[in-house]
Amino acid sequence: MSLELRGLTKRFGAVTAVDNVSLTLGAGETVALLGPSGCGKSTLLRLVAGLERPDAGRLLLAGQDVTAVPPQRRDVGMVFQTYALFPHLDVAGNVAFGMVEDRVPAAERAARVTELLALVGLAGLGSRRVDRLSGGQQQRVALARALAPDPGMLLLDEPLSNLDEQLRQALKGELARLLGALGKRALYVTHDQSEAFALADRVALMRAGRIVQVGAGEELLERPVSGWAARFLGHENVFDAAPAGVLTSGRTGAVGAALFRADLAQLLPLQDAADVGVDARAMHTQAGEALTVDAQVAAAQRDGLGWRLLLDVPTWGVTVVWRGFDRELAAVGTPQPGLRLRLAAPPEAWRELPGEQHGDQHGDQQDNRQGKHVKETGRHGS
Amino acid sequence: MRLRARSNAADDHNPGPPNPNRPKFGLAKPALPNPLAHVAGGAATLYLAAFLLVPLGVILARGLAPEGEPAGAALWNTLSDPYYLGRIWFTLGQALLSTLLTVALGLPTALLFARYRFPGKRALTAAFTIPFVMPTVVAGIGFMALAGPRGVLGVDLRNSLAIVLAAHVFYNFAVVARLVASFLERVAPQLEEAAATLGAGRWRTLWRVTLPLAMPATLAAAVLTFIFCFTSFGVILILAPAARFATLEIEIYNLTARLLQLDAAAVLVLVQLVLVLGAASLYTRLQERLAVPVAPGAAERAPTAGTKVLIGADLLLAGGLILAPLVALLVQAFTSPAGAFPSFANFTNLLSVQPTLSFPGLWRALGNSLTFATLSTGVALLVGFAFAYAVARGGWRVLDQASLLPLATSPITLAFGYLLTFPLLVTTFWGIPLAHALLAFPFVARTLLPALRSMPRQQLEAAALLGAGPARTLWRVELPLLRTALLTAAAFAFAISMGEFGATLLLVRPEYATLPVAIYDRLGRPGAVNYGQALALAAVLMLLTALVMLILQRRGRSEF
């Protein structure tokens, strides 16, 4: 059984909330819809749930067109952002709600409620009033309630966003474990990329009603499809045009945006005066060889255990952000504004960002030339 | 609200979704020590003691132990009399039946209004509040004009249970529809969506989610309706004057004003007070349960074809019931005694008739009504504000709980208490405005109290830090912020006084006749000319009340 979205479009008046979105979910797969608020991710989820009718496009569940099927006959479970627990029912009543609709016999229902409450860690709280639960407990009840009728697919609408930070971290791990163990297809809406990467097999990045990129978390981080995507995912060294053109392909002239992976670069001490002021074109040595440019520390900030340096690179005409630890700075000395050093950047540190594509994307179509030899040091800022 | 506070204290995790409608500070602890609030509390207590508790106490003493009789004798004699027992059962029965019918009509309307958008909804919502502020006399005459002996429908339903029930539904329909609809509008639509994703269709969701959620609000509205119908006076006096339709309220009036059997009247007042107080305390209990999780979201949706039919049918029925008597009243007011339409004959007759002391003309009745309404609005605002201020800023919880009593005190009970307690005051001009003020008091207090409570505590604290004491804060911060609430409360009080009938009838002296009294007086006189003048007067009163309602409509929010 698979879920297929084909060109789904939803307009509210003049606003196109969901714009020609196509996406396919494989069996047991969890996909996160990630994007800033107002990007249409919740609307897309509501379209899948059947709570909204699309203006165009089709929705196929297990090969069957369910575009016109009302939510109560769709075989999907949903966890709402506000949980939407029924205040007139106790915890067990909430969890059993869907099974009553499915005419599950009372004894079986009770057994399943007990089983589910144990699963979400609320054993023994069945007769508790829902307004006597903490936020985290309410969230678990909402999850148990959605799971109870054993739906073919689970929809989660920012289920952790109403919780405080500590609880969110704890529940994030728990939810990831549960989703993995259940092996259920799930669509997870969030604006928090750490949630998306922790919980989902694939992440669909949304912007202005469109899916701009789909792929595993690593792919998205390493090969963001556009400047916007790179910045949204937390990359700090995203530049427009020129330097990227110079450094990635040897061509001059503008391309789209370019991403510089400072974590792949190396900081070198200044050797002698001869190194200073080399013309940019002179740095085109042999293919695959690291380029070395002058840099000057514009600002140095302690960032937890490491450093965050702003490096002016006159040759490229930009300021890049470099993150790293003391040991990587051992050769160049204590970072302070004005310190001059050299920055050695391998060709793969530069990446052209081709721009956003639309329609169905599976991320794996790009060649994998850069491989996976990525140092982990540079990414803790994201 | 109290429940929520307790659950917060009970667990240290963070609570569920925040409720923007819920005040974020406790009620019991005032923000800052506020001597002014205690002065206000003292004043409100004194007023309620003098003009409510003492009269009620006098009735109690009279009913339980009348002078020259053994204690309890009157109570026993009255309660063992099958006639009075019959009156009690009839009063209960008609009130229950009226309530049932009102809910049966009001609940579907509330559901449709809370969940669907359709053209003309705002105008219809406004129209539905018309009966809410219509004086009982106008409602009574409206139904007379519709289905009375000279009614436009041509069937004479006077002295039938049907017309009594119809009038009660007309009167209370808006209470149910408004209260339940405004509650449902606050209930998060996600609850119904959640039901849908769990497999419940439209009707199953209605049955398993929406109706249970609406239950406390519906019951609260039903109890309020029950109280109004239980103490029904004006409409029954006009539409079904036969003895078999007399409610306790009418019986008390008859015993007091006509038969002078004050002991028996006192006993019946006690019986009525106990029953109504029971219902009123049930009402406040239910109101406490009206706190539900609310979440932002578009609750309104476009109706489907089937729903459109339902909405149409509902509007036709409810709208017809509400508009028919009012339209009938206007049509007949502009029909001459000879039958010509349109004609101003009734109005010219009204103006040309020579008023005597016992036969008030338009100008005297209008003048009296406006004077009494102005005075009683002033008193009710003053005392109502003192009450609300003491409860919200001084933590006078006792007063808050005592506010049930004025709500449960019927007009006839109050007037009867004044007659017994202040026989001299009642002969003066002040008896009527004081009674009106007390009857308007609970409405004023219930309008001002939530407005005062919803003011953020930080605003008051900021004012204090900027150097303003309680009095200056009241003057420079609270009163300006309360302007709309005060206006709403004033409109309420004014409309209540303009339309008040029962207490006025019992306390009135001929020279102080108000519009409702003058209308009732003309109805009691023979002939088409007098009937026509009653209609003309009722049209004037209706117009005045509609004006007040327009003010209410603009910013109508209170705890009712």
Side-chain angles (χ1 to χ4, degrees):
Chain A
M1 193 169 113
S2 65
L3 173 79
E4 202 182 336
L5 283 57
R6 284 193 196 158
L8 280 184
T9 298
K10 176 71 186 174
R11 294 181 202 93
F12 296 109
V15 180
T16 305
V18 171
D19 190 358
N20 191 25
V21 165
S22 297
L23 186 72
T24 305
L25 267 77
E29 189 184 33
T30 300
V31 169
L33 297 174
L34 175 67
S37 58
C39 72
K41 54 192 191 298
S42 285
T43 306
L44 183 57
L45 196 74
R46 292 169 61 81
L47 285 171
V48 175
L51 298 171
E52 306 282 353
R53 286 287 181 84
D55 293 312
R58 298 207 300 152
L59 192 75
L60 284 84
L61 204 59
Q64 296 218 313
D65 191 333
V66 294
T67 317
V69 173
Q72 62 266 26
R73 294 210 299 273
R74 276 205 186 183
D75 192 32
V76 295
M78 180 154 170
V79 178
F80 289 78
Q81 184 174 8
T82 52
Y83 316 137
L85 298 182
F86 302 122
H88 60 293
L89 299 175
D90 60 12
V91 168
N94 267 279
V95 176
F97 190 97
M99 292 189 283
V100 172
E101 293 307 314
D102 291 346
R103 300 214 171 73
V104 176
E108 203 178 310
R109 239 164 34 210
R112 177 108 173 109
V113 168
T114 311
E115 175 196 327
L116 277 163
L117 287 182
L119 182 74
V120 297
L122 292 178
L125 291 186
S127 54
R128 187 76 71 91
R129 284 180 50 153
V130 290
D131 60 359
R132 299 290 191 85
L133 299 175
S134 68
Q137 289 171 327
Q138 291 186 11
Q139 205 278 332
R140 289 158 207 247
V141 175
L143 182 65
R145 184 180 69 178
L147 288 173
D150 197 21
M153 164 143 195
L154 196 58
L155 307 174
L156 303 108
D157 187 5
E158 306 230 13
L160 303 180
S161 66
N162 272 331
L163 303 172
D164 65 35
E165 183 57 30
Q166 232 179 335
L167 201 54
R168 186 157 60 224
Q169 293 303 337
L171 274 175
K172 190 163 73 181
E174 227 173 286
L175 206 52
R177 182 181 56 78
L178 253 173
L179 287 176
L182 290 166
K184 248 185 216 324
R185 191 190 338 281
L187 207 49
Y188 188 104
V189 162
T190 180
H191 63 269
D192 178 346
Q193 56 169 305
S194 74
E195 256 175 53
F197 294 148
L199 285 159
D201 303 311
R202 281 194 298 152
V203 176
L205 193 58
M206 282 190 75
R207 180 192 189 189
R210 289 162 174 261
I211 292 184
V212 297
Q213 193 174 6
V214 186
E218 280 293 284
E219 285 168 34
L220 254 65
L221 281 174
E222 284 178 29
R223 285 188 296 283
V225 76
S226 66
W228 178 85
R231 286 190 187 98
F232 183 78
L233 293 171
H235 286 293
E236 290 178 303
N237 297 315
V238 182
F239 308 109
D240 292 328
V246 173
L247 287 150
T248 54
S249 59
R251 284 183 284 110
T252 47
V255 292
L259 169 67
F260 176 65
R261 292 281 299 263
D263 54 322
L264 300 181
Q266 217 183 339
L267 297 183
L268 305 170
L270 212 57
Q271 296 292 339
D272 51 58
D275 284 338
V276 182
V278 184
D279 181 46
R281 274 163 297 180
M283 293 188 300
H284 284 281
T285 49
Q286 285 175 327
E289 213 170 291
L291 308 175
T292 310
V293 288
D294 286 350
Q296 183 170 12
V297 176
Q301 297 153 352
R302 259 289 174 202
D303 182 24
L305 293 171
W307 285 94
R308 183 172 184 274
L309 303 184
L310 294 182
L311 302 174
D312 284 332
V313 184
T315 320
W316 296 342
V318 296
T319 301
V320 303
V321 179
W322 181 91
R323 287 169 186 276
F325 295 101
D326 286 306
R327 67 179 153 75
E328 291 163 88
L329 288 164
V332 295
T334 315
Q336 51 194 339
L339 176 72
R340 294 160 66 96
L341 42 77
R342 288 178 69 75
L343 184 68
E348 64 265 28
W350 280 104
R351 181 149 307 131
E352 270 185 78
L353 303 172
E356 291 164 12
Q357 298 163 14
H358 302 300
D360 202 357
Q361 295 174 20
H362 289 284
D364 279 325
Q365 287 145 5
Q366 293 176 3
D367 71 320
N368 212 7
R369 180 166 45 88
Q370 258 79 36
K372 299 266 181 188
H373 58 281
V374 179
K375 279 187 279 178
E376 287 302 315
T377 45
R379 245 203 354 254
H380 32 243
S382 49
Chain B
M1 180 160 10
R2 251 171 256 154
L3 266 180
R4 170 65 66 177
R6 227 183 291 145
S7 79
N8 273 0
D11 55 33
D12 42 0
H13 295 298
N14 84 334
N19 178 350
N21 284 3
R22 199 167 282 154
K24 288 184 179 57
F25 43 89
L27 315 176
K29 282 184 196 153
L32 299 161
N34 188 339
L36 195 64
H38 298 305
V39 174
T45 310
L46 267 179
Y47 170 81
L48 286 178
F51 292 103
L52 182 68
L53 292 181
V54 170
L56 288 181
V58 169
I59 299 174
L60 190 72
R62 183 89 188 218
L64 292 179
E67 283 167 46
E69 276 184 60
L75 191 68
W76 173 250
N77 287 340
T78 310
L79 288 184
S80 58
D81 185 329
Y83 174 76
Y84 290 124
L85 279 179
R87 291 309 4 122
I88 294 173
W89 284 118
F90 170 77
T91 310
L92 261 175
Q94 62 82 23
L96 283 173
L97 206 55
S98 303
T99 307
L100 219 62
L101 280 172
T102 309
V103 170
L105 192 64
L107 187 57
T109 308
L111 288 170
L112 293 171
F113 269 66
R115 283 297 179 255
Y116 295 100
R117 63 174 163 263
F118 45 88
K121 184 170 153 180
R122 280 175 64 94
L124 283 164
T125 314
F128 280 173
T129 51
I130 293 174
F132 193 62
V133 287
M134 271 304 141
T136 47
V137 179
V138 172
I141 301 227
F143 275 93
M144 277 277 264
L146 189 69
R150 284 176 263 236
V152 293
L153 286 186
V155 278
D156 184 6
L157 292 178
R158 205 158 177 248
N159 275 327
S160 73
L161 188 60
I163 201 166
V164 170
L165 293 180
H168 283 170
V169 173
F170 164 86
Y171 221 75
N172 296 296
F173 165 80
V175 176
V176 175
R178 241 179 99 142
L179 215 148
V180 178
S182 74
F183 172 77
L184 278 177
E185 277 164 10
R186 287 188 292 121
V187 171
Q190 280 90 339
L191 291 174
E192 282 155 15
E193 292 177 355
T197 64
L198 291 166
R202 225 171 93 193
W203 295 104
R204 293 285 297 168
T205 301
L206 181 69
W207 177 246
R208 290 191 67 200
V209 177
T210 314
L211 283 180
L213 282 175
M215 190 55 97
T218 312
L219 281 177
V223 172
L224 213 54
T225 304
F226 175 83
I227 294 174
F228 290 152
C229 296
F230 191 83
T231 56
S232 182
F233 180 75
V235 282
I236 295 188
L237 207 59
I238 291 171
L239 293 173
R244 66 180 190 279
F245 294 113
T247 56
L248 283 179
E249 190 84 342
I250 289 176
E251 204 58 55
I252 296 164
Y253 169 76
N254 284 337
L255 287 172
T256 311
R258 303 212 173 132
L259 308 172
L260 293 176
Q261 293 183 19
L262 300 187
D263 295 347
V267 170
L268 290 188
V269 165
L270 289 185
V271 170
Q272 175 168 293
L273 202 61
V274 165
L275 285 170
V276 174
L277 257 181
S281 70
L282 187 65
Y283 169 69
T284 46
R285 286 258 185 84
L286 289 165
Q287 256 202 339
E288 279 174 12
R289 285 182 36 194
L290 292 188
V292 289
V294 295
E300 284 187 349
R301 49 181 185 250
T304 56
T307 319
K308 274 183 194 155
V309 174
L310 280 180
I311 291 174
D314 180 78
L315 292 183
L316 222 61
L317 191 65
L321 183 74
I322 281 170
L323 288 180
L326 299 179
V327 170
L329 193 162
L330 284 178
V331 167
Q332 289 221 325
F334 289 97
T335 305
S336 74
F341 176 87
S343 142
F344 284 96
N346 288 328
F347 293 89
T348 47
N349 282 345
L350 183 64
L351 290 175
S352 61
V353 75
Q354 194 57 48
T356 63
L357 181 66
S358 62
F359 189 67
L362 170 68
W363 299 119
R364 180 150 51 105
L366 186 62
N368 281 336
S369 272
L370 291 175
T371 310
F372 291 148
T374 309
L375 287 173
S376 60
T377 300
V379 173
L381 275 186
L382 215 63
V383 190
F385 181 79
F387 167 91
Y389 191 73
V391 172
R393 299 285 183 260
W396 282 56
R397 279 217 156 160
V398 190
L399 267 186
D400 195 17
Q401 278 143 12
S403 72
L404 262 187
L405 204 55
L407 186 64
T409 306
S410 72
I412 296 290
T413 300
L414 192 72
F416 178 54
Y418 282 15
L419 281 177
L420 290 182
T421 317
F422 317 112
L424 290 177
L425 173 80
V426 164
T427 60
T428 71
F429 165 85
W430 279 97
I432 293 171
L434 279 173
H436 286 187
L438 203 116
L439 291 170
F441 164 79
F443 291 86
V444 171
R446 290 284 143 194
T447 306
L448 295 181
L449 191 54
L452 266 174
R453 275 177 175 164
S454 66
M455 258 178 234
R457 182 186 184 149
Q458 281 85 349
Q459 276 176 8
L460 308 179
E461 290 171 347
L465 289 173
L466 292 167
R472 296 288 299 165
T473 304
L474 176 63
W475 180 248
R476 293 187 59 201
V477 179
E478 288 164 297
L479 283 181
L481 286 172
L482 279 179
R483 235 176 45 195
T484 44
L486 282 168
L487 192 68
T488 307
F492 251 132
F494 203 86
I496 287 168
S497 173
M498 288 292 292
E500 210 291 320
F501 179 53
T504 318
L505 195 61
L506 202 50
L507 294 174
V508 76
R509 289 152 52 95
E511 63 267 40
Y512 299 138
T514 59
L515 276 175
V517 170
I519 293 167
Y520 181 64
D521 177 76
R522 284 208 175 30
L523 270 185
R525 294 171 193 262
V529 174
N530 277 318
Y531 177 66
Q533 289 186 19
L535 284 163
L537 279 170
V540 170
L541 183 56
M542 182 175 146
L543 199 79
L544 278 172
T545 331
L547 267 178
V548 174
M549 195 207 70
L550 271 180
I551 299 173
L552 266 182
Q553 198 58 53
R554 238 178 235 175
R555 313 241 168 205
R557 276 270 171 244
S558 79
E559 271 186 19
F560 285 96

